[in-house]
Amino acid sequence: MTQLTLAKALNAGLRRALADDDKVVLMGEDIGTLGGVFRVTDGLKAEFGANRVVDSPLSEAGLIGTAVGLAYRGFRPVVEIQFDGFIYPGFDQIVAQVAKLHYRSRGTVKMPITIRVPFGGGIGAAEHHSESPEAYFAHTAGLRVVACSNPADAYVMLRQAIASDDPVLFFEPKRRYHVKGEVDESASLADAPPMGVAATLSRGSDVTLVTYGALVQTARDAATAAEEEGISLEVIDLRSLAPIDYAPIEASVRRTGRLVIAHEAGQQGGMGAEIAASITERCFEFLEAAPVRVTGHDIPYPPAKLERHHLPDLDRILDGVDRALGRPNSLSGVEA
Amino acid sequence: MTPSDRDATGLLTRPDPFVQLITPTGERVRNAEYDPWVADVDLEVLGRLYRDMVVVRRIDTEATALQRQGELGLWPPLVGQEAAQIGSAHALRDDDFVFSSYREHALAWHRRVAPAQLLSVWRGTAASGWNPYEHNMAVPQIIIGAQALHATGYAMGLRWEGSDAASIAYFGDGATSEGDVNEALVFASSFDAPVVFFCQNNQWAISEPVGLQSKQAIARRADGFGMPGLRVDGNDVLAVLAATRFALDRARRGEGPSLIEAVTYRMGPHTTADDPKRYRGDAELAEWRERDPISRVLAYLDGSGVDIAGLEREATAEADRVAAELRAAITTLGDPEPLSVFDHVYAEPNSHLERQRANYARYLAMFDEPGERETPAAGAAPEASSSTEGGVR
C-alpha cells in the first residue's frame, strides 16, 4: 500500500497502462511537456516518448476524431479533456462517432477510447471550468460513463477503462485531485471489482444516500453527522453512471424505504431523475417516501463567489435526508 | 475573366486553372509535372478504368431505379463523379485505408465490396454493408466531414508504427466549411500524417453552390495548412490518377499530407429525395454533360486506335450482369431479426441493455400466443418512399 493523491494515483494508473500495452497512447492539450494542467500525466512523456504521450493542437473535435482513427488502426487512445466545460467542441465526435461506430460497423470496429474529464466545482475557477456534463453522456447509447471518487478507485478504474473494448467517459473529481488515500499498486485488475459495480461505503438502516465523484466524501461526512442525531445513512458510491449498478441500491432501498440522490449537476434530466425513476419502478412498494434529489440548481455554473450556493454540501444533503424522513426541513409545509 | 467575375453558381470569384491530361473531346494534353505519374498507364489500363466507370454508373442508375420502385429507402447518386472516384481508387494500394462519405460507391466497388452489401444500408436492413478490415475501407460517413479526422488519426497511427501505407479521406466541397475538416488539416500537417485529403468539388452541397463554402479554389486552402494543394479536372480519370499518386507517394515518403481538389459535377440530385430543378438550370447540366468523364476516355481510346465498339460491348455486358445480380440480391434481402436491434451497441456485456433486450423479448413473445394480434415488427414497416428531403445531408 502507498499513500497517493488522486492525481498521482491516476498518473500511476496511466503509467501502468502505457507499460502494459504499447497500443495505449495518451493525447491531450498540454499533457506532454507540462504534464497536464493538473499534472496527471506528469513525467509520462519523458518516460514513454512523444509518440505515446502526445501534445495535441487545441481542438477537442480533433483530439477525439483522431482518436477514432487511431482506434480504427488498433490503438487504445486515452484522451484528456483539459476541463469539463471544454468538451463540447468534441461532443459530435463523441456522440455521433465514438458511441456509434461499434454498432454502425456491426461489431467489427472497436472503439476502446478512454476520455478523461476533470469535472465538478469547488475550486473557485473561471467560467467553463467547473461543470458536470456527465448526464449528456450517460444518455448516449454506446458509451460507458464512470466517475471515481478516491485514489484507490482512480488507479484501478482508469486501467479498467483503458482495457475496456467499449468507449469510456472517465470523470475525475477535480477538487479531490490533491487528497491522499491508500493505493495498492500491486492489485491485479482481475481481482479488483469491475468499474461497473457500485460500492456501498457505509451500512445504514434509515436512508439510502446515492452519489458519485467529489460528493462521495461529502456524503460520508453527512452520514457521520447524521449518526450524531441518531439517523443511520447507507452511502453508496455509484462509480458507474452508465450502466448503473442498481442491485445494491435496490437492495438497500428495500431495507431503508427511503432514497436520496445527490449530485453537483443540475436536476433536470440528470442522473438523480434516472435513478429515482428506476428505483421507483423496481421497488415502489418498499418506498416509504418519494425519492429526493439534492442537486445543483438548473443554472449556468455561477461565479466562484456564489458556487457554495450552487453545490450541494453537507447541510443540503442532510436537509434532503430530512425530507426523505418526513422530519422538519426547508420545504416543510410547502406544496410539492 | 477577372477576379471580380461571377460564374453561374453566383459566388465563386474566379475559376482557377486545373490540371487536365485528357480534354472533354478526348485529346491528350502533355504535362511535364503530371505525365511521369501515369507513364505506365497504357491503353489497356485506360480501358479497364473506362469499364470500371461504366459499371459503377450502371450500379448507380440501378440503385436509383430500385429506390423509385420502393426497394431502397434512399440513394445518393454518384453520376458525374466516376472519374474522380475511379481515378483516385486506382492509385491506392490494397493496404491503404479509405475513409469515405456516403457517395463513394465507386471506391466500394473498386475495393471489391459486393454492390448488394453497399445497397443493404440504403434498404435499411443493416447499419453497414461490410467489414472495414476486409476491404480496408471504413464504414461510410454521413456526418459531413467527420471522416477527415478519422483518416488523420489512422494515418498518425501508421506513422507511429513505421508503416508506409497511407489513408485517404473523401469529402465534398460542402465539408470544407466544417470544423472537422479544418481540424483534420491542422492535425495532419502538425504530425506529418500520411493522409491524402481528396475533395470532390461537385459544385453543389444539396442546394448550396460551392461559392457559398469558399470564395476561392478549395485547393488554395492547402497553403494555409502547410501542405501542397492540387487542383485537377475531376472528370479526367488520368489527371485524377496522377494527382493521387503524387500525393500518396509524398505520404509514403514521410513528407505528410496533401489536399486534392477534384473539380467535378454532381449530375444527379443530392439524393433521390432531392429536386435539383429548384436550384439549378438545365443549361448548367448540359454544359457539364459535354465534360462527361466516361465519354472523354472513350473518345481518347478511339483516337488511339482502340476498338471502342468492342470495349463498349464488353463494358455494357459486365454492367448489365452486375446490375442484374445486384437487383436479384437486394430484392430478396429479408428484414433483420427484431432483437438484433440490440446487437453490437457495446463490445462488452452491459447490464442495462441486457435488461432492456430481455424485456422487449418478453413483449414480442406476447404476440406469439394464439389469438394475439400481428406482431408490430412484421406489420409496421415504414414506406420506403417516405424519406424526407435532406434526410441525409
Side-chain angles (χ1 to χ4, degrees):
Chain A
M1 291 282 188
T2 328
Q3 282 280 326
L4 292 179
T5 63
L6 194 145
K8 289 283 184 202
L10 291 166
N11 181 274
L14 290 171
R15 177 178 289 103
R16 184 76 182 270
L18 283 161
D20 285 352
D21 183 351
D22 63 11
K23 287 297 180 187
V24 172
V25 290
L26 274 47
M27 306 165 70
E29 298 157 10
D30 304 300
I31 70 163
T33 306
L34 181 67
V37 296
F38 292 107
R39 308 293 182 263
V40 170
T41 52
D42 190 32
L44 298 178
K45 180 184 169 189
E47 197 171 334
F48 295 95
N51 289 353
R52 302 286 309 280
V53 182
V54 183
D55 271 324
S56 86
L58 266 62
S59 158
E60 288 73 21
L63 263 171
I64 295 165
T66 52
V68 168
L70 283 159
Y72 245 111
R73 183 65 198 171
F75 286 82
R76 287 187 179 273
V78 183
V79 174
E80 177 177 300
I81 300 296
Q82 198 162 68
F83 283 90
D84 34 54
F86 302 172
I87 200 169
Y88 308 114
F91 196 74
D92 171 65
Q93 283 286 343
I94 297 174
V95 170
Q97 309 299 334
V98 173
K100 295 191 174 98
L101 257 163
H102 189 259
Y103 190 77
R104 186 185 304 145
S105 69
R106 304 164 87 189
T108 55
V109 181
K110 301 225 174 345
M111 284 289 125
I113 299 172
T114 302
I115 300 172
R116 296 181 37 242
V117 190
F119 85 127
I123 62 163
E127 195 187 3
H128 312 297
H129 290 66
S130 303
E131 303 195 358
S132 297
E134 62 271 17
Y136 295 122
F137 303 102
H139 184 69
T140 301
L143 300 177
R144 297 194 57 166
V145 183
V146 301
C148 61
S149 68
N150 62 74
D153 277 0
Y155 177 69
V156 172
M157 287 171 71
L158 182 53
R159 290 168 57 210
Q160 289 171 330
I162 294 167
S164 170
D165 278 343
D166 285 316
V168 181
L169 268 288
F170 191 91
F171 285 96
E172 302 169 0
K174 71 167 84 74
R175 70 172 131 137
R176 306 289 301 170
Y177 269 143
H178 305 300
V179 178
K180 281 188 176 179
E182 288 209 328
V183 176
D184 180 4
E185 290 188 73
S186 65
S188 84
L189 286 191
D191 297 338
M195 65 180 174
V197 168
T200 302
L201 301 180
S202 70
R203 288 284 168 189
S205 53
D206 295 328
V207 175
T208 304
L209 173 56
V210 175
T211 190
Y212 53 91
L215 284 188
V216 169
Q217 186 57 47
T218 316
R220 300 184 83 152
D221 295 343
T224 305
E227 203 171 344
E228 289 166 16
E229 296 182 44
I231 297 166
S232 167
L233 299 186
E234 180 143 313
V235 177
I236 296 177
D237 179 357
L238 265 186
R239 297 180 6 124
S240 176
L241 312 186
I244 291 168
D245 179 18
Y246 279 109
I249 308 173
E250 188 180 338
S252 177
V253 170
R254 281 170 185 260
R255 283 188 288 104
T256 63
R258 297 168 203 277
L259 173 65
V260 174
I261 310 123
H263 53 64
E264 293 188 17
Q267 185 182 77
Q268 185 161 296
M271 298 307 303
E274 182 60 35
I275 294 166
S278 293
I279 288 299
T280 305
E281 283 172 350
R282 285 168 188 244
C283 54
F284 176 69
E285 66 274 29
F286 291 86
L287 282 168
E288 304 284 349
V292 171
R293 288 172 288 173
V294 180
T295 70
H297 307 303
D298 290 313
I299 57 172
Y301 201 88
K305 296 292 185 197
L306 286 170
E307 68 179 337
R308 70 191 174 85
H309 294 291
H310 174 64
L311 295 173
D313 58 10
L314 184 147
D315 288 324
R316 270 168 68 188
I317 289 175
L318 288 180
D319 184 55
V321 168
D322 286 339
R323 273 155 63 198
L325 285 165
R327 286 158 49 102
N329 64 80
S330 61
L331 298 181
S332 293
V334 178
E335 292 290 325
Chain B
M1 273 194 163
T2 68
S4 62
D5 285 343
R6 306 276 158 139
D7 77 355
T9 57
L11 288 167
L12 196 62
T13 50
R14 103 182 147 177
D16 275 38
F18 56 42
V19 172
Q20 191 179 65
L21 300 183
I22 301 177
T23 68
T25 47
E27 286 93 38
R28 182 74 165 83
V29 183
R30 292 294 156 192
N31 183 307
E33 209 181 329
Y34 280 67
D35 282 349
W37 293 100
V38 287
D40 64 315
V41 179
D42 55 19
L43 295 176
E44 196 198 324
V45 173
L46 267 180
R48 282 214 307 275
L49 296 175
Y50 162 78
R51 202 180 57 200
D52 274 340
M53 291 195 286
V54 169
V55 172
V56 297
R57 182 170 287 187
R58 185 77 175 84
I59 292 170
D60 193 70
T61 49
E62 192 69 15
T64 295
L66 284 162
Q67 194 281 334
R68 297 299 184 224
Q69 292 155 5
E71 298 290 347
L72 302 182
L74 189 73
W75 179 253
L78 68 66
V79 63
Q81 300 176 222
E82 294 87 350
Q85 295 186 18
I86 289 295
S88 56
H90 191 74
L92 296 167
R93 281 192 339 215
D94 279 352
D95 63 340
D96 294 332
F97 210 94
V98 175
F99 290 85
S100 77
S101 86
Y102 47 80
R103 207 187 297 282
E104 279 69 63
H105 314 313
L107 266 294
W109 165 255
H110 198 274
R111 294 182 91 76
R112 294 179 285 279
V113 172
Q117 285 180 295
L118 176 69
L119 265 65
S120 66
V121 176
W122 303 99
R123 187 175 171 85
T125 59
S128 61
W130 63 88
N131 178 340
Y133 298 112
E134 287 174 6
H135 302 276
N136 282 342
M137 178 165 175
V139 181
Q141 181 59 247
I142 288 179
I143 300 292
I144 299 300
Q147 71 278 12
L149 280 167
H150 306 166
T152 301
Y154 190 95
M156 287 160 63
L158 288 172
R159 183 163 167 81
W160 295 338
E161 287 172 6
S163 165
D164 76 338
S167 69
I168 185 165
Y170 286 87
F171 50 88
D173 43 299
T176 61
S177 297
E178 292 281 1
D180 280 6
V181 169
N182 289 276
E183 289 163 67
L185 290 162
V186 170
F187 274 62
S189 182
S190 295
F191 293 106
D192 292 322
V195 53
V196 176
F197 296 101
F198 193 94
C199 176
Q200 291 170 84
N201 172 2
N202 70 9
Q203 313 300 323
W204 292 95
I206 306 190
S207 69
E208 298 188 348
V210 61
L212 189 58
Q213 319 293 342
S214 182
K215 299 293 271 186
Q216 62 169 10
I218 288 162
R220 286 215 223 167
R221 291 194 183 177
D223 192 44
F225 294 100
M227 65 180 76
L230 294 79
R231 195 164 197 261
V232 295
D233 183 344
N235 285 8
D236 172 359
V237 74
L238 200 58
V240 171
L241 174 58
T244 315
R245 280 180 168 177
F246 166 85
L248 285 168
D249 180 68
R250 199 180 118 79
R252 293 192 208 295
R253 285 189 284 105
E255 291 177 14
S258 310
L259 171 63
I260 296 173
E261 177 188 2
V263 181
T264 180
Y265 191 72
R266 193 194 77 210
M267 293 172 81
H270 162 65
T271 70
T272 46
D274 177 34
D275 175 14
K277 289 195 180 68
R278 293 179 72 95
Y279 52 83
R280 66 187 192 190
D282 291 341
E284 184 183 311
L285 188 61
E287 201 177 303
W288 280 92
R289 276 195 208 288
E290 297 297 311
R291 308 168 197 162
D292 188 279
I294 297 181
S295 56
R296 82 171 67 183
V297 178
L298 201 62
Y300 173 71
L301 291 170
D302 192 19
S304 308
V306 173
D307 165 22
I308 61 161
L311 189 63
E312 271 187 293
R313 245 192 336 270
E314 278 172 41
T316 306
E318 188 185 352
D320 287 346
R321 179 183 59 75
V322 169
E325 284 174 12
L326 168 60
R327 173 169 287 272
I330 201 75
T331 53
T332 52
L333 208 56
D335 287 352
E337 284 299 308
L339 287 176
S340 70
V341 75
F342 294 101
D343 290 347
H344 309 306
V345 179
Y346 297 94
E348 296 179 351
N350 190 283
S351 56
H352 177 71
L353 204 62
E354 277 154 27
R355 184 183 166 97
Q356 230 167 47
R357 180 190 187 118
N359 288 347
Y360 192 61
R362 284 189 200 95
Y363 170 76
L364 288 181
M366 291 198 311
F367 298 94
D368 295 337
E369 285 164 24
E372 289 295 338
R373 57 202 155 109
E374 192 185 0
T375 166
E383 288 292 314
S385 59
S386 68
S387 310
T388 54
E389 189 160 346
V392 169
R393 186 171 67 97

